[in-house]
Amino acid sequence: MSHDAIHRWSTDAVPPSQRLDYWVSAVCEGFLEMDVTSPKAGSFGATLESAPLGPIVVNQVRGSAQDVYRTRRAIAHSRNNYFYLLCKADSAWVAVQDGRSARLLPGDAVLVDSRRLYEFHLLQSADTISIELPTAWVDAWIPDAGDQVARRIDGQSGWGGVLSGFVRQLTPELAAKPPMPAELLSDQLGSLLALATGSGAANEPDKGRAALRRRVLDATRERHAECGLTAASVARGLGISERSLHRCLVAGESSAQGPTTFAAALAGFRMAAARRMLADARFDRLGIAQIGYRVGLADASHFVRQCRAHLGATPGELRRRR
């Protein structure tokens, strides 16, 4: 299948008596090797849809109540391992790893590591967004990732609420046709995950971290008009690692501006420039798409959506109000 295709497995493909066995095979093929049981074995049904989004993979599971187990045998037979970030919005469930049992309410998120035993008890339904995260990718965002597994991330408040809302937007359909570069979306996810797990604060002295943050924001402001600008590109230009860039942005009760993410900072600079141009009659000779291009957004419809989200109105409305 092509890179942007959505891979799909459904128990509708087999007779009811074979559906649970089919599902176990689908889970092993679509995720990694696991055992699955269900109290609804006689009427079991489920679907799995999966699509890549840059370095991560977005999976959406729908179906009957089930219990999922990552066993020692499965770990021994796995050639690849990942972290998984899971968010279930419709009902409570339980995740167990490393002796911790996280009782999760609708909207909460949790991180697990496939290199260690875990259990999921999906008590009412299996409807879940599960984001597959390469271990090296997670380690770059969360220094103590191993200590964060099976800990409830509150999906109703603080950065956990922001992370939950973002994850619930990451469907396979969006991954197959992302509204902005996949690298920006995955960077945003990493930043929010670091903030929600309390891993944003770096060990460097506050003064040095604040200075690096100013350099990063200044460089992003100067280059905001580049279409497709990424955190990796800004980091290369500053001679720092991408990890350092993200961590200096998400760290920061000591920062006067507070924690942020690269994607949020970039959008803020672009929208500030757009607001200035739309408020200045000298730029009326430029069409809406041309102004969008000047602030780094080559897609006119994306520019309109960004203005509506950040400035509260479309570009045309902002001009008419002036």
Side-chain angles (χ1 to χ4, degrees), residues 141-271:
W141 286 103
I142 307 178
D144 57 345
D147 294 333
Q148 298 297 331
V149 298
R151 296 189 185 276
R152 173 177 174 256
I153 299 173
D154 185 353
Q156 304 301 319
S157 63
W159 286 111
V162 181
L163 174 67
S164 173
F166 186 78
V167 168
R168 283 180 279 142
Q169 297 299 312
L170 294 181
T171 62
E173 290 79 11
L174 181 143
K177 294 182 179 179
M180 61 177 61
E183 291 76 12
L184 283 180
L185 291 171
S186 61
D187 284 351
Q188 181 81 333
L189 177 66
S191 299
L192 293 176
L193 182 59
L195 288 165
T197 57
S199 303
N203 295 322
E204 301 92 337
D206 286 348
K207 184 176 180 181
R209 187 167 63 244
L212 179 59
R213 178 190 172 96
R214 286 193 297 272
R215 289 176 58 207
V216 168
L217 291 174
D218 287 345
T220 305
R221 184 186 298 107
E222 292 170 4
R223 298 179 58 183
H224 75 269
E226 296 179 24
C227 294
L229 182 65
T230 65
S233 177
V234 172
R236 283 195 301 271
L238 293 173
I240 62 175
S241 69
E242 188 176 352
R243 175 182 178 180
S244 295
L245 179 147
H246 289 299
R247 289 184 61 177
C248 78
L249 292 177
V250 302
E253 283 76 12
S254 61
S255 169
Q257 294 178 300
T260 188
T261 66
F262 176 78
L266 178 59
F269 294 138
R270 285 173 168 170
M271 290 301 100

Side-chain angles (χ1 to χ4, degrees), residues 120-139:
F120 303 149
H121 300 290
L122 305 159
L123 308 175
Q124 297 181 36
S125 75
D127 298 358
T128 308
I129 294 291
S130 176
I131 313 296
E132 182 180 282
L133 309 170
T135 55
W137 186 92
V138 174
D139 289 340

Side-chain angles (χ1 to χ4, degrees), residues 68 93-102 104 110 112 116-121 149-150:
V68 181
W93 63 293
V94 176
V96 180
Q97 187 164 54
D98 283 0
R100 286 193 290 269
S101 179
L104 302 155
V110 69
V112 297
R116 290 178 274 174
L117 306 178
Y118 60 67
E119 303 173 15
F120 303 149
H121 300 290
V149 298

Side-chain angles (χ1 to χ4, degrees), residues 18 31 58 76 116 142 149 200 204 254 276 285-286 291:
Q18 301 174 22
F31 288 109
V58 179
R116 290 178 274 174
I142 307 178
V149 298
E204 301 92 337
S254 61
R276 288 195 297 272
R285 60 186 178 81
L286 298 178
I291 289 183

Side-chain angles (χ1 to χ4, degrees), residues 9 25-32 48 50 57 59 84 132:
W9 295 261
S25 298
V27 166
C28 292
E29 182 181 351
F31 288 109
L32 35 71
L48 165 61
S50 177
V57 178
N59 303 286
Y84 285 89
E132 182 180 282

